[in-house]
Every structure is written in C-alpha cells, then in structure tokens.
Amino acid sequence: MNSRRKFIKNLTAVGATVPLVTNIQAKPKKNKGPVILCSRGEVWGEKVLRPGWDILSKNGKLLDAIEKSSNVTELDPEDTSVGYGGLPNEHGVVQLDASIMYGPTHNCGSVAALEGIKTPCSVARLVMERTDHIHIVGKGAQNFAKLHGFKVENLLTDKARKIWLSWKENLSSKDDWFPPADNNYDDNRTTGTINVLGIDADSNVAGITTTSGLAYKIPGRIGDSPIIGAGLYVDNEVGAAGATGRGEEILRTCGSFFVVEQMRNGKSPQEACEALCQRIIDINGGTKNINFNDKIVALGKDGSVGCASIKERKGNNPKLAYWSNDGFKVYKGTYLIEDKSVDYVG
Amino acid sequence: MNSRRKFIKNLTAVGATVPLVTNIQAKPKKNKGPVILCSRGEVWGEKVLRPGWDILSKNGKLLDAIEKSSNVTELDPEDTSVGYGGLPNEHGVVQLDASIMYGPTHNCGSVAALEGIKTPCSVARLVMERTDHIHIVGKGAQNFAKLHGFKVENLLTDKARKIWLSWKENLSSKDDWFPPADNNYDDNRTTGTINVLGIDADSNVAGITTTSGLAYKIPGRIGDSPIIGAGLYVDNEVGAAGATGRGEEILRTCGSFFVVEQMRNGKSPQEACEALCQRIIDINGGTKNINFNDKIVALGKDGSVGCASIKERKGNNPKLAYWSNDGFKVYKGTYLIEDKSVDYVG
C-alpha cells in the first residue's frame, strides 16, 4: 500500500525538507545458500559474523551460528551496549535483555533484567528449548540460568563503572555526589544493542537481539530487545527483522512484527524497514517531534536485506554487515531525516 | 484480504470438520457516546464495568474509568486469575502482570512479575505517566511502586494457597510433599485475566489488561498481558484489542497488535478477532495441534465490538460485556473449533 513514492510524498507532507537518501549500494544478490547478518558496520560486523559464518558454511546448526555470533559482543567488555561491559542502570547494576526466535517451529525465548550472566542470548535459548514459557525476567531469570549451569559474575567493568560515575556525579547539584575537581572522565558513552539474523542452507530463518538496555535506566526497565515482535521477529515463510535504538518507540509500534508483516504483504526488506520508520514518525505527530533514533534491519527469506534508520548525519547511512557464499559485505541503508546532531545508533 | 469467506475456506483446508459458530447476536449499534467493555460475561461484567461506566457517563476521565474497572477484579480475592488472590508461581509466590495504553498519546506502561502490590494496573499507569519507560519488571517494579506510595502486602489468599498446595502435593511421586490422606482439596482452579477497553465521549480509546499470569509458572515468567501489542494494543485512529488465554501463543503472534492492524485494514472487530484465531491455528500447523485456548476481544473506534476464541464446548460462545448509553449488554462471540473438553478461558 505505502509505495516508496507515497512514502516520499508523506515525508514532504509533514514538512520534511530533507531529501530521502537513497540506497547507495545495489541490492545484494539473492542468496540461495546460508546468510548471516548483524546490525553493525565493517569492524564489528566481521568480528561478530565470523564464528557464525564458520558454523553455517560447514552446514552447522542455524541456532548455534546466531548464538555464537551474538556471544561475541556479549562477551566483549569493549562494547558498552551489550552483555559483559554494558552500561548499568541508575543504581550502577548491569541488567541484560535478550531474545531469540526460530522460524521452523515459530518458537521463541527471552530474558530481561537479567543480572550477573554474561551471555543472556544463551539463557534466552534455554528458555525456548527447556521451558514451556517465552519470557522469564528478573531474579527468576537469573535463578533459571544458575540452575542451567551459568556462572553469576560481576558484569560491571571499570570502563562502564567510570562512565556511570560520570553520569551520576553530574546528574544534579541537589544530591551529594561530587565530580572530581578537574571534571576529567574517560567518558566514551555509546548506544548499541545488536541484532543477528540468519538463514541456513534449507532456507530456515532465525534471529537474536541482545542488549544491556538503556544506560542509567530505572531498575527493571526493559526495552524492545527482549520482546518478541518488538526488538525481534521471525517468520519462516517471510524472513526476520530486528531493531535497535530507542526501545520504547519500537515497543509501541511492535516494530519487528510490523516489518515482517509488511514483507509478508509484498514489500522488500528495505521498503518494510522504511515503512516502520515512517509509522514511528507518524505516531509521534511528524518529523518535528522526533528527538530520538531507531534503526531497523530485515532479512527476506530469499536472502535479500534491508536497513533503515529514522535520522542520521548527512551521508552517514545506517549499515548492516552480512556474510554469504559471496563473502563478507556491508550494506548501506537509508535514513528518513537528516540531522547534524544525531548520535550513532548501533 | 482474508475475507470471512476465505477464513472459513482455510478452516476447511486444514481439515476442520466443525462448522464455524456464527455471531449469535446482531452487531451492537455503533455508539457515538462512551463505551466500556471487558472480556467477561454477565456476572463479572456488570460488577467490573459499573464503576468505570459511572465515571465515563459523568464525563470523567477515560483512564480513570478503565483503571477503576480493572481494580475491581484486582482487589477481589475471589478471582484467582487477577491481582490479589491470584494463583501463585511454582514457589507459591503471587507475581502480577498488567499493561495500559492510551490512544491520544499512543503512550503505554506496564509492570510484570510484580510481587506484593494488589493493583498492578495502577502501577502500570504510573510507569506510563511518571517515567520515560514502558516496561518495568520484577523487584524494580515493586520498588517503583513503593516509592509511589503503594503498600506491599501478602497477596496469597488462603483460597489460592490451598489450590497451590493441591497442585504441589500431587505434582510428583518423586518429591517429599504428600497429599492429605483423603486427598480432599477445595480445588477450584480457574484461568482468567481480564481486558478492559474503553472509548470516551470524544472518541478517544484506551485499554488495560491485568492478570496473575499462568498458575504455577516458573518464577519470573511473564505472558502476553504486560506486553504492548500482545495482551493489549490501542490505536486512537482504529480501536483497541485485548487477549486472554495461553499467553505464549498471543506473544508469538503479537495478537492484539495484529487485531488492531486488521481493523485498520478494513476488517470489523469481529472479523479481526477471528483472523487472529486463524493465524494462531496456522502457526501451530492446523487444528489438530491446538491443545490450548485463547480469547480475543476488540473495540472499534465507532463502538463496534468483536470477540472470538479458538475452541469452546458446543454452544458455549465466548462473551464480552459492555456498557454504553444503551445500558449494560453481553455480546456473544464466535469460536473456531468445537471441543467438548475445553476449559473456560477468561
């Protein structure tokens, strides 16, 4: 229904003066064989996808492939937006969220507000495979993980702790925390989250989303990442989608389910991702009210990919990385609003 | 796209031999004025809707109306499926889930795995109104509630405790819990959850879903009720939908969002509810695999209502109750599969 043409027209209608940046690279060839993608660019993309592609290219299991790829960011303390090393909540406690969905069975699992376990996507997989439930949250999720042999550890790295301290000590002049005299912090805050989507040689589809959630959140806050249909959705007849960025906007639009349903109704993954960005803009009453960012990636069952974000600096198109029989590639998507001040959104 | 005709055809295609039970009552008149509905029949319906209708009919606030109506079941210890008196998790602890969504702002709030607070929907409303988040779960949700003045109480009534004990003591012969010598329990387990949807005199739409969740769940399990798009969805241009029954099936189909999107695309609330039941059957590989039940209610922006469940005993159509300027009424919906053994589902 919403053709690309109508989409541009709508943008004009709400007063956007910035042209839609078009797809810079040609659409990738449709892959018959396996493919694995993640919502990152060159550097993280190759690092994340390598172990997953190793598994897929040797006819290994699709769920093993996306789990091992997702574990890369979860276990890496340098990434402050996912797993170990993620930025903590307002009380300085790291709480992790993750979801997994498997096309052939349409089954899914998720954990949220999980403390002390480095690899939440692996716990989400156990919720899917070893319980009759989908979501397990909070202390119950940690207990479940412990009973499946996961080790409870301190996830707060010095790097993340210092970034939190910088936030805490500069939060207000009405509390009792002082910044250091020189106000000198090594504050390198980034936002992130990661989606990993894959197709095996039999054209089965699966996906994972994993995150440490919004930095400095109220304890127990969960965003879109662990919610099936919001931060992740998979349909084995259609494909998969995942989201990063401001989770509340994805939650209240059922973002990933929306994208998969758009693909079911004939849109390409790229068109479907853009349709969600437009839906989010519409719900917020137009571009003038968009003071946040979201990024969507999608994978069609035929191996075609899509990527769109709501706003970016000029020329800074959102990216995804993918690996197929044609090797490792980076795909540049589109954005709807040009904004000089926009932050990187995973 | 999926017309009623195609819907019946699909049913035949998957081998269902049972005719679709058609809508027994005529569609209710479209209400211009306020309307409030809940996913219950005569008895609970009138009790639940009275305080909400009192507010709406005096031009009170829509959110106050649906909250006060939802509080009726939450506070009533006789209802073992919602709020105080709800059946506990496998460890005997009551954990409550609720969500709220308000059409004019498209804002929403939710709590899950909340212990010790009788009225989770009121906490969900505060998450919506007093935080930048949507979901707060577990211990964090309880702390948030306490800091907003809610009292932490023991929610496990003697009635619910005895039902739990009956489950626990008969769970296995390989544990150390014995049933009493006469195996005589006052075991009156029911499933439930409640959806309350409303429209005010200005045609604004809102909704609440509240539940104690699946009895004997693994601690921390959350179902569809607290998830925006699953157990509840509201769109001020279209209407609202809510779900009860097996939550995992609603979660993995984004049930309420699906229903609202079907209505956006032209289906009546009744047709949209049936379309979701069909989607759930399809995802499960046909009627032969349906060993659970779900029930969906929907409210169009024009005041039209819909209700469908997956399976029922013959003639035991799923109901909703609603109150409008025409007074209190009960609407009988449809079911897709006839099954003598089916339990009541909300």
Side-chain angles (χ1 to χ4, degrees), chain B residues 205-345:
Chain B
V205 190
I208 282 173
T209 295
T210 181
T211 190
S212 52
L214 186 70
Y216 326 137
K217 59 194 169 191
I218 297 173
R221 174 268 188 187
I222 62 179
D224 62 319
S225 299
I227 305 299
I228 300 302
L232 175 70
Y233 200 73
V234 173
D235 185 295
N236 217 41
E237 304 300 309
V238 178
T244 53
R246 179 162 163 79
E248 278 71 12
E249 295 298 331
I250 302 294
L251 278 170
R252 66 191 195 135
T253 52
C254 294
S256 292
F257 179 75
F258 178 90
V259 168
V260 169
E261 290 298 295
Q262 296 285 318
M263 287 159 59
R264 188 194 306 281
N265 293 332
K267 281 201 168 67
S268 70
Q270 184 59 40
E271 290 165 340
C273 291
E274 291 168 3
L276 175 61
C277 292
Q278 187 58 50
R279 169 69 67 97
I280 292 171
I281 292 171
D282 290 345
I283 276 175
N284 281 279
T287 54
K288 65 185 182 300
N289 299 321
I290 307 295
N291 60 356
F292 55 84
N293 206 2
D294 286 301
K295 171 181 163 182
I296 327 296
V297 297
L299 176 62
K301 192 174 170 68
D302 62 3
S304 56
V305 303
C307 176
S309 61
I310 295 181
K311 53 163 71 173
E312 300 293 348
R313 296 171 201 234
K314 187 173 184 177
N316 188 24
N317 293 52
K319 293 174 185 173
L320 64 81
Y322 66 108
W323 213 314
S324 69
N325 287 325
D326 294 335
F328 175 80
K329 300 202 173 166
V330 171
Y331 173 85
K332 288 187 181 181
T334 61
Y335 54 88
L336 272 65
I337 304 168
E338 187 179 306
D339 185 337
K340 282 180 201 167
S341 66
V342 73
D343 279 339
Y344 171 71
V345 59

Side-chain angles (χ1 to χ4, degrees), chain A residues 47-124:
Chain A
K47 198 158 51 167
V48 165
L49 297 180
R50 186 175 292 283
W53 177 250
D54 267 2
I55 293 170
L56 274 187
S57 60
K58 290 170 187 153
N59 276 316
K61 282 186 186 163
L62 176 58
L63 287 173
D64 292 342
I66 60 171
E67 180 186 354
K68 289 295 167 248
S69 280
S70 302
N71 287 161
V72 171
T73 42
E74 290 179 333
L75 292 169
D76 191 329
E78 287 307 303
D79 188 312
T80 56
S81 71
V82 179
Y84 176 51
L87 292 180
N89 66 23
E90 64 171 350
H91 292 170
V93 177
V94 180
Q95 293 186 313
L96 305 179
D97 304 334
S99 58
I100 186 168
M101 190 161 187
Y102 186 53
T105 55
H106 213 88
N107 281 344
C108 29
S110 124
V111 289
L114 173 64
E115 299 179 11
I117 312 283
K118 284 181 173 172
T119 52
C121 84
S122 300
V123 185

